[in-house]
Amino acid sequence: MRSTTSTWCWSASRPGTPHRSRPDRRSAVPLEPSRSETAHPEPTRFARVVVIGGAGQVGRLLRALFPGSTEVTSVDVVTSAGDGAPSLVADATRPDAALRAALGAADAVVLALPEGPALAAMSACAPLLPPGALLVETLSVKHAAAELATALAARHALQACGLNPMFAPELGFSGRAVALVPIAPGPRVDALERLIGAAGGRVARVSPDEHDRAASVMQAATHAAVLALGHVVATSGVSPDVLVELAPPPHRTVLALLARISGGVPEVYRDVQAGNPDAPEVRARMSGFLLGLGDLASDPDRFARCLAELSAALGEQAGPLRAHCRALFEATPKS
């Protein structure tokens, strides 16, 4: 929900720059779809699952989600799974005979790929799945994938959903949030949700538009702020050894985030900025606020009102978040 607070703080944005209205992107599905919408009341057991991109980190995370009774086949373009799991070396955008056979017998296919290959593989693989099978995408931006999956599910009588684990794969599901976007809902979507819950994940069902709006704040804006600080650090001439030695807890924490992002997979973080249609607007608002921050800070009353508005914008979460910050800082190494 958009804030209805006053403009003491927001007036720091660039003068004459109106807030741009967002295009009306209709969600592919309602937030809580009726279970009666599916015409395919198949069993909810997954006997055979194909994970495309199964040798990658996200693919490994999702392969481990299925019980031992499920035959999980990992598919990757250049390497096998490498952990003894059944695997195929194949290009899912141009399925060969072996991959076609695996898809034709699958109860579900999971696409753990970047956006370009994922959308191409979705179009190539969906027609090969049996009716009632589950199509799962794992992209960090949902709108385009949901539109394509909606059309493919209707054309080929499939169930479909999107997943986005809101954490690095190596951390595991336990206690962590997973966004689930129902696209063509049905019993296998519900079964997948139960598997995530059994692994300790906290599932939140959202529409594609709700997911992308939230991700623009949680990921695009957060990463942009960290990368901006990284640029300042890199161009400041101050030794990182000095920064770490002297850093108060907030700076040390953000430096740790910078080290994590800068040492991560570039395509993952690039996609957060380039793929989300809401990211440019979020970055523009950040830029406008920073350009006006000097003027804001020159007026003690306005600055105090700005902080009060920002606190109020957090609503009932402000207190718990302050407590979380204190616990985080208390756990931060002191040297």
Side-chain angles (χ1 to χ4, degrees):
M1 180 178 295
R2 296 200 179 274
S3 172
T4 56
T5 54
S6 63
T7 58
W8 287 109
C9 189
W10 320 136
S11 61
S13 298
R14 285 175 290 183
T17 305
H19 178 73
R20 291 175 293 171
S21 61
R22 304 176 72 264
D24 182 16
R25 298 199 307 273
R26 300 294 182 185
S27 301
V29 294
L31 180 58
E32 289 294 342
S34 167
R35 298 293 183 259
S36 64
E37 290 176 5
T38 177
H40 307 281
E42 294 83 6
T44 58
R45 186 174 73 90
F46 294 102
R48 298 179 184 85
V49 172
V50 174
V51 179
I52 297 173
Q57 289 187 327
V58 174
R60 289 175 182 271
L61 174 76
L62 295 174
R63 283 197 288 121
L65 192 62
F66 295 92
S69 59
T70 300
E71 180 184 313
V72 181
T73 299
S74 173
V75 179
D76 223 292
V77 69
V78 293
T79 183
S80 66
D83 54 9
S87 59
L88 295 173
V89 176
D91 181 355
T93 67
R94 292 176 294 179
D96 59 16
L99 180 52
R100 284 173 170 269
L103 291 169
D107 298 313
V109 60
V110 179
L111 301 169
L113 299 170
E115 182 174 27
L119 297 180
M122 190 185 299
S123 295
C125 294
L128 305 175
L129 295 169
L134 175 62
L135 177 65
V136 183
E137 60 82 17
T138 62
L139 296 177
S140 58
V141 179
K142 296 301 185 192
H143 188 65
E147 285 190 338
L148 177 59
T150 297
L152 291 170
R155 188 177 307 145
H156 302 291
L158 304 175
Q159 297 169 44
C161 70
L163 291 181
N164 189 4
M166 307 302 293
F167 53 89
E170 67 267 20
L171 297 176
F173 283 102
S174 183
R176 305 191 188 279
V178 180
L180 187 151
V181 178
I183 297 169
R188 284 194 165 125
V189 174
D190 300 338
L192 182 62
E193 180 176 2
R194 289 194 294 272
L195 286 176
I196 297 170
R202 297 184 292 105
V203 178
R205 286 196 175 212
V206 292
S207 72
D209 197 48
E210 287 169 325
H211 173 278
D212 290 352
R213 289 189 188 195
S216 73
V217 176
M218 294 186 300
Q219 295 181 311
T222 301
H223 296 176
V226 174
L227 292 171
L229 175 69
H231 176 72
V232 171
V233 168
T235 58
S236 67
V238 180
S239 166
D241 295 334
V242 173
L243 292 176
V244 170
E245 184 177 4
L246 296 178
H251 185 67
R252 190 182 185 99
T253 300
V254 181
L255 285 179
L257 289 170
L258 174 62
R260 184 175 181 84
I261 290 174
S262 61
V265 179
E267 179 61 25
V268 172
Y269 295 103
R270 188 199 69 83
D271 186 56
V272 167
Q273 300 298 330
N276 193 314
D278 293 305
E281 179 191 345
V282 168
R283 289 194 300 267
R285 281 189 277 141
M286 292 176 70
S287 176
F289 180 80
L290 289 174
L291 287 173
L293 184 55
D295 289 340
L296 182 66
S298 68
D299 185 329
D301 291 337
R302 280 184 62 212
F303 191 82
R305 283 190 288 268
C306 177
L307 294 187
E309 286 189 359
L310 293 175
S311 179
L314 294 174
E316 294 181 355
Q317 297 296 331
L321 286 170
R322 290 188 188 102
H324 175 73
C325 185
R326 177 169 181 166
L328 182 67
F329 287 172
E330 288 175 347
T332 299
K334 297 177 175 60
S335 62

